[in-house]
Amino acid sequence: MPSDPQPAPYLPDPRIESIAGWIGDPVHAAAFPGHRLRWRNHRWAAAVGLDGFDEALWVEHFGRFAPLPGNLPQPLALRYHGHQFRSYNPDLGDGRGFLFAQMRDAGGRLLDLGTKGSGQTPWSRDGDGRLTLKGAVREILATEMLEALGVDTSKTFSVIETGEELWRGDEPSPTRSAVLVRLSHGHIRIGSFQRLFALEEKDHMEALVAYCLETYPGNLPPEDAPGRDEPAVILLHQVVERLADLAAAWMVAGFVHGVLNTDNMNISGESFDYGPWRWLPRWDPRFTAAYFDHSGLYAFGRQPEALLWNCHQLAIALRTLAETAPLVAALDRFGSLYQQAMCRRFTWRLGVESRGVEGDTALIQAAESAMVETGLPPEQFFFLHRGGRNAGDDAFGTALSGYASAASTDDAFWQEPAPPGVLIEEVERIWATIDQHDDWSELHAKVAAIREMGERLGPVHVPVGPFTSR
């Protein structure tokens, strides 16, 4: 969503109350020793009518979590199961977060405010329910960059430093703490359905399917699709469409999520739950983001496969309500939908007119080979060739020269030596200036540059339902 969202009045609509009795548990936020506002997303606050809060009121609602008017009376920690690196785990749920509020935007979409680092819940297991400030800073950078690159992502809405010292085994400790609020289309995960399947709660499964179809409207299945009038089949078709597009969006962005477990998959098709993410330093399908991903299960090039596998797990859960054949037919669409999305998004980022799947696929293959040969980071490669410029005499240049430009590169932004990026070295440098000097200027400058890039790239057309504002 590169362009600014439209302002809207505050329109509370806590629809999840209709299923709250079995989808989650009422919880209380932690009582933090301090509340120092560090990040406030003004443009998305305006989109849900919360931009009029002064700092004290902002902290009251997003640091102490006083209920918003007309909204959920108490936060809700959601219950779910999930496959974690393909091993099933029934002991999951919101362990350091909760759903706090729901409201409508100017387009009528239902949006959620959820938390990260807001304290322990019944699902915390041995965790402290907290979030490091570094983790919050990393999430700001990830969500801002993905938004600029046209990926449907959660938005980092608020970050408040909470004054606690946290100990983490995988980073220098003690370290500073924070509570983060994110704005999302929803928080219903594939793991939410897996839990109901495991517990044989057929009535609740039917109710959750109905809730999702009503709350997150999408496209109907193709006219020749078997079972196209069955709610469970309709939902699976919609999730397959959304996750195929999300997989393509990550690939074109050069983004590696890192942990693509089924409990990290939102049925809205929205990218969220950011942990060990990375952007590619060079085009490498084997690149992994998580140091604990020893087998490369969630490597960059395996992300489409991972999302399809997760769709299969949703289909298995939906067998509670539907026959196998129509669910398999929905899953079979993933490959072609993914390829269409890759072509659509790749030509968008290059700033050239699409020539159809066959021609665009050849262009993508030539571009990938060129990135491997040159070693250029993807952001530099796309920037260099934006609008079809700088086409050389190699295979990629020959392919690119046959494309018409769909983007102007005359303004000063495209004359810079390189676009903004967030490779790990820069992330660490930005964090170091905050950690050592409490200097937030580099972070704000980086976000401003990323948002400018998003404006220059413009919107990408995503024909996967009325959810997205693009």
Side-chain angles (χ1 to χ4, degrees):
M1 302 174 216
S3 57
D4 285 344
Q6 295 299 309
Y10 172 63
L11 300 170
D13 189 6
R15 298 186 62 82
I16 204 164
E17 286 184 310
S18 65
I19 59 174
W22 46 267
I23 199 70
D25 298 274
V27 294
H28 296 281
F32 298 113
H35 298 87
R36 189 171 183 184
L37 181 57
R38 291 300 198 174
W39 172 261
R40 177 173 174 166
N41 197 325
H42 291 282
R43 62 178 182 171
W44 280 100
V48 291
L50 298 175
D51 53 324
F53 286 4
D54 62 17
E55 184 169 328
L57 195 56
W58 188 276
V59 169
E60 185 67 16
H61 288 298
F62 306 126
R64 298 185 181 91
F65 296 99
L68 288 167
N71 231 300
L72 294 176
Q74 191 172 345
L76 194 66
L78 300 186
R79 307 170 183 171
Y80 41 85
H81 291 182
H83 279 89
Q84 299 187 305
F85 285 84
R86 301 203 175 165
S87 295
Y88 195 75
N89 187 348
D91 298 318
L92 296 175
D94 285 340
R96 58 171 176 169
F98 49 63
L99 178 61
F100 176 60
Q102 294 180 297
M103 60 217 69
R104 299 282 174 178
D105 71 357
R109 295 176 307 159
L110 187 69
L111 298 174
D112 290 358
L113 288 175
T115 65
K116 192 173 183 179
S118 50
Q120 291 181 313
T121 77
W123 309 104
S124 298
R125 292 177 287 172
D126 296 327
D128 60 13
R130 270 40 175 195
L131 171 69
T132 66
L133 182 61
K134 181 180 182 180
V137 169
R138 283 173 47 82
E139 187 141 337
I140 292 169
L141 290 168
T143 55
E144 289 288 334
M145 191 66 171
L146 287 170
E147 184 178 358
L149 293 176
V151 180
D152 194 13
T153 175
S154 62
K155 313 300 183 294
T156 306
F157 192 77
S158 170
V159 172
I160 293 175
E161 190 169 359
T162 53
E164 296 177 318
E165 290 189 340
L166 303 180
W167 292 84
R168 295 291 186 264
D170 56 352
E171 61 181 271
S173 297
T175 189
R176 295 152 72 177
S177 59
V179 61
L180 180 148
V181 178
R182 66 183 175 210
L183 184 71
S184 304
H185 294 316
H187 285 83
I188 304 299
R189 307 161 191 247
I190 288 177
S192 307
F193 291 88
Q194 290 182 286
R195 176 182 174 274
L196 298 178
F197 175 68
L199 299 178
E200 300 182 352
E201 297 184 10
K202 181 178 179 180
D203 290 347
H204 289 161
M205 183 78 80
E206 289 179 339
L208 186 57
V209 168
Y211 173 87
C212 291
L213 289 175
E214 182 179 0
T215 307
Y216 314 123
N219 299 320
L220 290 174
E223 290 188 3
D224 60 349
R228 72 183 303 268
D229 296 325
E230 299 176 38
V233 175
I234 295 170
L235 180 64
L236 184 61
H237 274 276
Q238 292 176 355
V239 173
V240 166
E241 286 186 10
R242 293 166 188 160
L243 292 188
D245 182 74
L246 178 61
W250 283 341
M251 298 301 286
V252 174
F255 177 73
V256 192
H257 183 283
V259 186
L260 301 180
N261 300 330
T262 55
D263 59 299
N264 291 341
M265 288 290 105
N266 195 328
I267 62 93
S268 69
E270 181 179 44
S271 180
F272 80 138
D273 269 5
Y274 299 109
W277 59 266
R278 294 284 190 276
W279 256 268
L280 291 179
R282 59 184 179 85
W283 193 269
D284 180 3
R286 298 168 299 177
F287 183 90
T288 58
Y291 68 87
F292 45 83
D293 186 3
H294 303 297
S295 68
L297 179 64
Y298 297 144
F300 173 65
R302 297 185 69 181
Q303 292 182 124
E305 169 199 341
L307 268 61
L308 175 57
W309 193 90
N310 290 337
C311 287
H312 276 266
Q313 306 319 302
L314 176 59
I316 290 170
L318 291 174
R319 276 284 288 112
T320 304
L321 306 178
E323 295 298 321
T324 298
L327 297 173
V328 170
L331 295 171
D332 286 345
R333 296 179 62 211
F334 187 96
S336 62
L337 289 167
Y338 169 73
Q339 194 59 44
Q340 292 166 28
M342 277 293 294
C343 295
R344 179 174 62 248
R345 287 180 171 277
F346 206 95
T347 52
W348 165 79
R349 193 172 181 191
L350 267 178
V352 295
E353 297 284 354
S354 172
R355 298 180 63 187
V357 171
E358 184 176 349
D360 295 346
T361 299
L363 177 69
I364 293 170
Q365 292 171 345
E368 291 174 348
S369 296
M371 281 189 274
V372 170
E373 292 171 5
T374 63
L376 285 174
E379 65 266 19
Q380 181 69 49
F381 183 87
F382 281 106
F383 184 84
L384 180 66
H385 297 295
R386 176 73 173 175
R389 60 183 181 168
N390 299 314
D393 56 5
D394 58 359
F396 171 70
T398 301
L400 183 62
S401 63
Y403 277 76
S405 175
S408 171
T409 55
D410 293 336
D411 60 58
F413 176 84
W414 299 106
Q415 311 313 314
E416 295 290 331
V422 286
L423 297 180
I424 187 61
E425 295 81 6
E426 186 156 14
V427 174
E428 292 294 335
R429 185 170 61 253
I430 289 172
W431 167 244
T433 63
I434 293 171
D435 187 40
Q436 297 169 18
H437 308 292
D438 208 35
D439 180 356
W440 293 72
S441 60
E442 284 196 37
L443 174 66
H444 290 293
K446 174 59 68 174
V447 168
I450 289 171
R451 289 183 175 182
E452 181 186 8
M453 179 179 68
E455 291 297 328
R456 295 296 186 273
L457 287 171
V460 56
H461 176 58
V462 183
V464 291
F467 257 135
T468 59
S469 64
R470 299 189 293 273

